Amino acid sequence: MKISIKNLTKSFNNKVVLDNISIELEEFHSLAIIGPSGGGKSTLLRILAGIERPDSGEIYINNKRLDFEEKKIREYRKSIGVVFQAYNLFPHLTSLENIVLPLEKIHKVKVEEATKIAEELLERFQLSEHRDKRPSKLSGGQQQRVALARALAIKSEFLLLDEPTSALDPELTSEVLAMILELEKANKDLILVTHEMGFARQACDKLIFISGGKIKEMGDSSKVFSAPKTKELQNFLDKILEWK
């Protein structure tokens, strides 16, 4: 995967959230975006998902320019998988139906084929026994795995994950991270915002550290973690260790 961002800016209510950032990263399967709360991580991910429109700047993903014209951005959204920290499952639908419905209604897959795809993914994510349960009857980890399965069902070009373990306890966090690691090992391209530093270091090829709306460091995960170049990143990592 390749991503190029040039002079990207985004403000909300006259507050600059992304301040003229530029990124050049090539040949990666997984990218972790880390940084303090309010630093711009989720806003960047939402722009990459085509949900937020930047004020200025250009984005190229795999050499294709991201065009925010309404018709084109709707088609782009159909080609990627997005999983938010709140899961965003339909509460009135079962696990199976949560996967089948978008395939049928948005991607025009015949219901028989959509059901087959959903059943295979539920089995892969060890959720077959929960296929007929609604989200309220599932644990947080199970809901997140259903959301991951739904994102994969469309055979997306790549996945975008926003703090996929933020609301989970340690056991369920490990459960979801194991699923994501499986995807990474299968060379599924993904970009995730995460507060799990160990996972970001071990499982992600590349890393971006963003703070105060600016990119402070980026590069190979192992190198950035092993030898932070900025005091900001070192202080951020020290605080994470203190909390643990």
Side-chain angles (χ1 to χ4, degrees), residues 6-24:
K6 301 176 181 179
N7 307 117
L8 188 69
T9 298
K10 178 65 179 178
S11 299
F12 294 104
N13 299 320
N14 296 319
K15 180 183 178 182
V16 178
V17 179
L18 295 174
D19 188 4
N20 196 38
I21 67 171
S22 295
I23 297 168
E24 293 289 339

Side-chain angles (χ1 to χ4, degrees), residues 28-42:
F28 67 88
H29 283 302
S30 52
L31 167 65
I33 304 174
I34 66 169
S37 297
K41 307 185 300 297
S42 291

Side-chain angles (χ1 to χ4, degrees), residues 115-130:
T115 301
K116 180 182 177 182
I117 292 170
E119 288 175 339
E120 289 174 351
L121 283 166
L122 288 172
E123 181 177 359
R124 177 181 178 184
F125 283 81
Q126 300 175 26
L127 290 165
S128 293
E129 64 183 289
H130 305 294

